[in-house]
Amino acid sequence: MENQNAYLKPVTLKNILKFAIPTIAMTVFMSFYTMVDGLFVSNLIGTDALSAINLTAPVIQLVTAISTMLATGGSAVIMKKMGERKSEEAKEDFTFLILVNVLVGIVMCVLGYLTMDHIFAGMNLSAVVEGYCVEYLSRYLIFTVPILLMNNFTLYMIASEKAALSLICSVTGGVLNMVLDYVFIAGFHMGISGAAVATGLGYSVTAVAGLYVFSRKKSLLHFKKPAFRLSVLISAASNGCSEMATALVTGIITMMFNWTMLHYVGEDGVAAVTIIMYVLMFASSLYTGYSYGVAPMISFYHGEQNRAKLKKLVGISLQVIAVISVVTTAASLLLTKPLVSVFARPDNPVYELAVTGNRICTAALLFIGFNIFASGMFTALSNGVVSAVLAFSRSFVFMLITMIVLPLILGVNGIWLATPAAELMALALSAFMFFRGPLKKQSAR
């Protein structure tokens, strides 16, 4: 099959890392987009503006949720067809799903502007913080379509054996974001709107590059006349529904964190939550990047019904994730104060809140990687139902339980402990689903 030698090679750690390292680096740089905004905003504008970025996060996650679903689910469907030697049909489906994403982006952008003023009015925020929220989101929504295309092209570049290009785009976008953050905020005095525009332009790099790359017929996947297949849209949606659920409920849980912190501590608590989320997001990007990297391999071997390669790939992956988990946990504990001090000075009340919170939340890093990989693995195996159950339970059910119960018992420390407790519960569920023998059942199809 053309250009697919990488999928035909033996499953070894070296060959797996050729797929995974570029995507790990890519997702790390993608996580920098938001972190860099927070860094410049907190230091050049203030922690009130930093709180505003976190308060807008649920809305942004809602806007991108459907695109995330179609990107992850569509990649699994298309690469499965590639493994089944249906390359022309896969290209038609690829073009169709990209067009659907563009339409979704336009609709979500319009809805965002229509509802924006009502979203923040009911949060009892100070006039300053509410103003920051509206200003940031109004600029961010301008880039809705490029951001959704970036979500898709990132995964399809990986599937097309262009992970290195995806990495280059992410690095370029990240560097551009950093430079423009300083230029717009410090140079042009655009305030928090400058941070939003810088982020949007940074994301647009991958979107523009993807349009060029996938217009060329030399690419493994490329645009061609689309074919409307409702079954493909349904399959992509069902396979990727776990990722959409994760995006949606992450937004809901973020709002719960914010409301709970506003109740116990005030807006300083929201700023502290933002800092800790940056740390967890950075560590989680390592696991997400690895899962993105191996997902096309899982889908391809599933299409080939090659059980031996699937089992070996998953076994090596679990070992890799275990190593990353230990390293990130140790690093987060050792570097807590330096990490927090980047966003808040020691004389700021946000500093002590964030230091305490990060030390407690760090325990979650021992479990997050396995949960992310489990959900991604079932998506790649076209088992969207199990993936959705894992993602929804982890991101919503378990978090809802721990967010309600633990603060009542432990106060503010209960808020910080909610994430590790929820991730541990999710790990038990992931292990249960995994040991039911998913690879055997999937490969037997």
Side-chain angles (χ1 to χ4, degrees):
M1 186 174 181
E2 77 262 22
N3 299 327
Q4 284 196 326
N5 292 334
Y7 291 104
L8 304 179
K9 292 180 180 178
V11 178
T12 63
L13 178 60
K14 180 180 178 181
N15 289 333
I16 292 172
L17 292 180
K18 285 182 180 179
F19 269 80
I21 288 179
T23 59
I24 291 173
M26 175 198 67
T27 53
V28 167
F29 268 90
M30 288 177 67
S31 72
F32 278 160
Y33 288 9
T34 305
M35 293 178 66
V36 168
D37 277 349
L39 175 63
F40 280 98
V41 166
S42 62
N43 285 281
L44 297 178
I45 305 176
T47 52
D48 281 347
L50 182 65
S51 298
I53 289 182
N54 192 22
L55 290 165
T56 60
V59 182
I60 292 170
Q61 287 159 348
L62 174 62
V63 168
T64 59
I66 298 177
S67 174
T68 300
M69 171 187 70
L70 294 176
T72 54
S75 177
V77 170
I78 289 169
M79 290 315 298
K80 181 173 180 288
K81 285 191 176 183
M82 285 289 193
E84 294 170 341
R85 306 299 192 268
K86 300 176 181 178
S87 60
E88 294 305 309
E89 188 175 319
K91 293 167 189 173
E92 293 172 353
D93 295 340
F94 161 68
T95 309
F96 166 61
L97 291 175
I98 293 298
L99 291 176
V100 171
N101 271 274
V102 172
L103 178 61
V104 167
I106 295 171
V107 172
M108 297 305 292
C109 179
V110 173
L111 289 176
Y113 278 110
L114 291 176
T115 60
M116 187 187 313
D117 290 334
H118 305 287
I119 294 172
F120 304 108
M123 292 187 180
N124 296 320
L125 303 172
S126 66
V128 173
V129 173
E130 184 176 341
Y132 282 142
C133 290
V134 173
E135 184 180 354
Y136 185 84
L137 186 60
S138 64
R139 305 304 189 278
Y140 191 96
L141 287 174
I142 296 171
F143 299 94
T144 302
V145 171
I147 289 171
L148 299 196
L149 288 177
M150 180 276 300
N151 285 343
N152 282 264
F153 289 154
T154 294
L155 294 184
Y156 286 121
M157 283 181 186
I158 296 168
S160 298
E161 300 180 23
K162 298 184 186 296
L165 175 61
S166 183
L167 170 60
I168 292 171
C169 291
S170 297
V171 172
T172 303
V175 172
L176 180 65
N177 186 24
M178 296 176 197
V179 173
L180 292 182
D181 264 325
Y182 181 79
V183 171
F184 290 158
I185 298 175
F188 294 164
H189 305 290
M190 293 174 61
I192 197 170
S193 63
V197 173
T199 298
L201 291 174
Y203 282 142
S204 298
V205 170
T206 302
V208 173
L211 288 173
Y212 172 74
V213 168
F214 292 117
S215 297
R216 304 178 65 194
K217 293 186 177 181
K218 291 181 179 180
S219 177
L220 177 64
L221 285 175
H222 57 260
F223 298 131
K224 64 176 303 181
K225 185 177 180 179
F228 177 82
R229 296 186 181 94
L230 183 60
S231 60
V232 171
L233 186 58
I234 293 173
S235 295
S238 60
N239 285 332
C241 64
S242 61
E243 281 69 23
M244 183 183 73
T246 299
L248 289 175
V249 301
T250 298
I252 295 171
I253 293 301
T254 300
M255 285 192 290
M256 286 187 61
F257 262 111
N258 293 337
W259 289 337
T260 307
M261 271 299 179
L262 286 169
H263 173 72
Y264 280 91
V265 183
E267 291 173 352
D268 285 343
V270 176
V273 167
T274 308
I275 295 171
I276 292 168
M277 283 186 173
Y278 287 157
V279 176
L280 290 177
M281 177 178 64
F282 177 78
S284 296
S285 67
L286 297 171
Y287 312 125
T288 303
Y290 182 85
S291 296
Y292 280 171
V294 300
M297 300 175 72
I298 293 174
S299 297
F300 189 87
Y301 298 147
H302 172 47
E304 283 191 324
Q305 298 187 13
N306 194 326
R307 181 186 171 193
K309 281 191 171 182
L310 276 173
K311 291 183 69 174
K312 189 170 184 180
L313 175 58
V314 171
I316 294 175
S317 295
L318 294 177
Q319 296 176 47
V320 171
I321 291 170
V323 172
I324 296 176
S325 299
V326 173
V327 172
T328 54
T329 301
S332 181
L333 287 174
L334 292 172
L335 300 175
T336 290
K337 288 188 175 180
L339 287 171
V340 173
S341 65
V342 171
F343 298 94
R345 296 177 180 177
D347 58 349
N348 190 317
V350 172
Y351 178 83
E352 287 300 329
L353 280 170
V355 167
T356 301
N358 189 70
R359 285 173 174 164
I360 297 173
C361 280
T362 290
L365 297 179
L366 292 171
F367 319 123
I368 289 176
F370 295 102
N371 293 327
I372 290 175
F373 177 76
S375 180
M377 179 187 72
F378 281 105
T379 296
L381 290 170
S382 297
N383 194 334
V385 174
V386 172
S387 181
V389 169
L390 293 178
F392 185 75
S393 299
R394 171 194 171 222
S395 301
F396 185 71
V397 177
F398 298 146
M399 280 298 301
L400 183 64
I401 293 171
T402 55
M403 277 294 296
I404 292 175
V405 174
L406 295 180
L408 293 175
I409 301 172
L410 302 173
V412 176
N413 286 340
I415 301 174
W416 304 131
L417 190 60
T419 299
E423 291 291 346
L424 180 59
M425 295 165 70
L427 180 63
L429 180 60
S430 295
F432 172 75
M433 292 294 188
F434 181 81
F435 286 114
R436 289 180 63 193
L439 298 185
K440 179 179 180 180
K441 294 180 180 179
Q442 293 292 335
S443 298
R445 291 182 176 184

